[in-house]
Amino acid sequence: MNTYPPTRRAGADDRDAVLSLWEACGLTRPWNDADADFKRAIDGATSEILCLEEDGKLLATVMVGDDGHRGWVYYLGVLPDGRRKGFGRMIMAAAEQWLHERDAPKIQLMVRDDNEQAIGFYKALGYEVQPVVTIGRRLD
């Protein structure tokens, strides 16, 4: 039995629709280049953007990647008018399956600490807030 939700890999021709969904979901930030993120993910050997569609309409996306140590999830978004219909769970299940197929031992994601709705969503899926501090620095 196939456990995949109805998803597909994004291609270059999906750029505008995916970036529009990310914008509608409030996932973009001025200091992050979403267009460059999209291109790096679809061109990367260890990353993809998965799309969930219904009747040709893009409903949800997730960027997924394997850094060789663990799997990462970014840009999980569901169109605002498609929320509370299970699409978030479906696209997250596709991300988990993608990582499972690559033998990633763990999945990580980052959520802003004031985003209670997203934190609640992930907790409902069995994820736990981890006792870590994320440290970073821009290279561009």
Side-chain angles (χ1 to χ4, degrees):
M1 181 167 138
N2 189 346
T3 60
Y4 276 103
T7 60
R8 67 169 180 81
R9 295 176 57 196
D13 57 334
D14 293 303
R15 177 195 166 277
D16 291 344
V18 169
L19 294 179
S20 178
L21 184 140
W22 291 354
E23 188 70 32
C25 294
L27 298 176
T28 60
R29 295 293 183 266
W31 54 87
N32 290 330
D33 185 343
D35 188 40
D37 289 346
F38 175 87
K39 184 168 176 24
R40 288 187 73 219
I42 66 166
D43 291 345
T46 60
S47 59
E48 287 187 28
I49 296 172
L50 304 177
C51 298
L52 176 67
E53 293 178 323
E54 185 175 69
D55 299 325
K57 180 180 180 181
L58 183 62
L59 299 173
T61 67
V62 65
M63 180 187 293
V64 62
D66 181 354
D67 69 9
H69 181 62
R70 62 177 51 109
W72 285 90
V73 167
Y74 300 94
Y75 289 108
L76 186 145
V78 176
L79 276 181
D81 65 353
R83 292 183 181 159
R84 302 258 183 242
K85 297 179 181 176
F87 300 139
R89 286 178 178 273
M90 290 167 59
I91 200 74
M92 191 61 186
E96 290 175 355
Q97 183 69 31
W98 190 94
L99 289 164
H100 179 74
E101 289 175 359
R102 286 151 184 84
D103 295 321
K106 185 176 183 180
I107 188 170
Q108 296 282 137
L109 53 101
M110 291 183 277
V111 176
R112 297 189 187 289
D113 62 357
D114 63 349
N115 191 341
E116 292 298 325
Q117 183 177 4
I119 293 168
F121 168 76
Y122 290 111
K123 283 182 174 181
L125 296 180
Y127 286 76
E128 300 171 350
V129 175
Q130 302 288 301
V132 298
V133 173
T134 302
I135 299 172
R137 173 178 144 172
R138 296 213 56 98
L139 297 176
D140 53 2

